[in-house]
Amino acid sequence: MKLSVGLRPGRSSDGVKLNSHQHMVMHTNYLSYSSYATRPSASLLGAFQFLHLPNQPRSRRDVRKILIALRQLMETGPGTITKSFQQSRFTPTAVIWRKKQRSCGSYTTIVASVARYYKLRCKLIDGYLGPRRVGYHHAWNEIYIPVEHKYVAFDITQPSFRVGRQHQRKRAWTDWHDLEKVYNPKKV
């Protein structure tokens, strides 16, 4: 079960009523490190030390500062680009950072890892960019903004970080491992 933006507290994305423990567990999962969105590596955290970033991000502005810094760090120096759906989604944070792997799924994993490091709930969104029939697979994040009491969508691959009409949301995930179970159930 996933908690989606705009739903009343106490209900899952499918409208199922949840008790308080189930609701808390769902929210906690978006804070937890997982098989792909692992704790950021020491070298990534070390790179963040020299930047003037908020210690406790609470607003969209704070999140944007972190995303700008993260994108600059990921795009500095040589890197790899993958168009493979599997490599884009199913690669751990440490490998993405070491290779500077540049794809929407890879960026989304790194963003989730860093957001969770800052104690911000973060969802990994799997969907399409452009019309579903002619668009291509795409991934972005929804990050919980404490001062607004809601999840806000951010796409680190877009210059403005905005998610617009061209983004077609398919599903929200805690970790790509959950998607892997659906996409490639024999492997898991």
Side-chain angles (χ1 to χ4, degrees):
M1 287 188 283
K2 300 166 293 301
L3 189 66
S4 297
V5 178
L7 295 177
R8 289 174 284 155
R11 296 207 178 264
S12 72
S13 58
D14 358 9
V16 175
K17 192 169 185 170
L18 303 173
N19 65 34
S20 59
H21 174 72
Q22 290 169 317
H23 189 264
M24 186 228 18
V25 167
M26 284 174 34
H27 261 308
T28 304
N29 285 344
Y30 291 122
L31 265 174
S32 304
Y33 295 118
S34 48
S35 57
Y36 293 112
T38 58
R39 180 177 167 80
S41 67
S43 62
L44 174 57
L45 293 176
F48 267 70
Q49 284 180 356
F50 300 104
L51 305 171
H52 299 290
L53 298 173
N55 290 333
Q56 294 180 326
R58 302 199 36 83
S59 67
R60 286 185 201 213
R61 185 176 180 194
D62 292 342
V63 170
R64 282 181 52 82
K65 285 180 186 178
I66 292 168
L67 294 179
I68 288 167
L70 183 57
R71 184 166 55 196
Q72 287 173 345
L73 289 170
M74 285 294 290
E75 293 177 355
T76 300
T80 61
I81 296 174
T82 181
K83 294 194 184 260
S84 164
F85 183 81
Q86 290 95 331
Q87 286 181 349
S88 175
R89 305 297 194 278
F90 310 134
T91 303
T93 303
V95 175
I96 294 169
W97 175 246
R98 188 178 66 248
K99 290 182 173 182
K100 299 262 179 117
Q101 186 170 297
R102 298 172 182 143
S103 69
C104 59
S106 301
Y107 278 124
T108 300
T109 302
I110 289 278
V111 168
S113 178
V114 170
R116 292 168 184 172
Y117 173 78
Y118 279 106
K119 305 285 188 261
L120 293 169
R121 293 182 219 128
C122 185
K123 300 177 189 181
L124 301 135
I125 308 301
D126 182 46
Y128 299 92
L129 191 58
R132 189 171 283 205
R133 301 226 189 275
V134 295
Y136 55 91
H137 277 97
H138 193 55
W140 60 94
N141 299 89
E142 288 179 359
I143 300 173
Y144 187 79
I145 305 297
V147 296
E148 295 181 36
H149 305 287
K150 68 178 183 177
Y151 284 91
V152 175
F154 292 94
D155 185 348
I156 195 168
T157 67
Q158 300 296 311
S160 67
F161 302 108
R162 289 197 176 122
V163 171
R165 287 182 171 168
Q166 74 277 17
H167 289 78
Q168 306 296 319
R169 186 181 200 264
K170 192 174 172 187
R171 289 178 93 174
W173 305 94
T174 303
D175 184 41
W176 291 133
H177 181 70
D178 301 327
L179 172 64
E180 192 172 31
K181 292 175 192 173
V182 174
Y183 182 75
N184 191 2
K186 292 179 185 174
K187 184 179 177 192
V188 179

